[in-house]
Amino acid sequence: MTTLAESKTEMTEMLLPNETNNLGRALGGAVLHWMDICAAISSMRFAGTQCVTASMDHVDFVSPIDLGEVAVIEGYVFNTGRTSIDVKVDVHAEDPRSDDRRLATSSFFTFVAVDENGRPTEVPSLKCPTDVETALQEEAIEERREQLREVADGLDDLD
């Protein structure tokens, strides 16, 4: 059985000068890199094989991560297809001196499991044996639906 909880991954990164812009805040590319790594680890833990990034959904940076703060990157598998794995990743900024924590960004990734020849391979079905896991899965599915609706509405506004 492969469960949502078994895929959970948490990483921490201290924001250092090489990963900041001229305002002393995290470069978006650095944050996206951390998110991709976290999602890859979650998907490989889940599938038990190599996984490659297929897509990353819309990303809004809602709060900066300042120099010296800690980025806490958390991901988990919330849905699967035949060879694909959907991962939710949240990034929080944390002040290590005060334990203040705020959401910096969140997104959804899709990975494809591949075999030793780089060909797509089947993944196990996702199991959510606890109420907590079921709630996380339902929340992620609904958040992704809502985000996709907002993006589609924004595209309609361009007409």
Side-chain angles (χ1 to χ4, degrees):
M1 174 179 357
T2 306
T3 67
L4 183 148
E6 291 169 335
S7 75
K8 284 189 98 172
T9 300
E10 181 178 301
M11 298 170 33
T12 55
E13 296 282 343
M14 179 171 279
L15 187 60
L16 299 173
N18 280 346
E19 293 153 335
T20 63
N21 60 24
N22 59 340
L23 300 174
R25 294 183 166 163
L27 291 167
V31 176
L32 296 176
H33 177 77
W34 298 333
M35 294 172 78
D36 192 31
I37 290 170
C38 182
I41 294 168
S42 290
S43 65
M44 287 187 286
R45 282 179 170 168
F46 179 83
T49 190
Q50 182 66 42
C51 296
V52 295
T53 310
S55 70
M56 178 182 189
D57 288 6
H58 184 84
V59 178
D60 286 319
F61 295 97
V62 296
S63 180
I65 304 170
D66 293 317
L67 182 64
E69 288 188 317
V70 175
V72 180
I73 307 101
E74 299 170 297
Y76 60 88
V77 172
F78 70 92
N79 205 6
T80 60
R82 191 176 64 78
T83 63
S84 64
I85 301 166
D86 294 327
V87 182
K88 180 175 193 253
V89 179
D90 295 317
V91 180
H92 289 85
E94 185 178 282
D95 183 334
R97 298 163 301 224
S98 66
D99 283 339
D100 286 340
R101 190 175 184 172
R102 65 190 178 282
L103 181 68
T105 192
S106 181
S107 191
F108 301 95
F109 289 72
T110 299
F111 280 76
V112 173
V114 295
D115 63 19
E116 59 279 349
N117 298 313
R119 293 190 187 104
T121 187
E122 289 192 21
V123 298
S125 297
L126 176 65
K127 307 290 186 217
C128 296
T130 69
D131 291 342
V132 170
E133 289 171 276
T134 300
L136 283 171
Q137 180 187 38
E138 290 171 357
E139 178 183 305
I141 289 170
E142 185 51 41
E143 281 180 30
R144 189 177 211 185
R145 275 192 195 120
E146 181 58 31
Q147 183 184 68
L148 292 173
R149 270 191 224 96
E150 289 173 10
V151 170
D153 290 346
L155 292 174
D156 287 342
D157 293 343
L158 296 176
D159 292 336

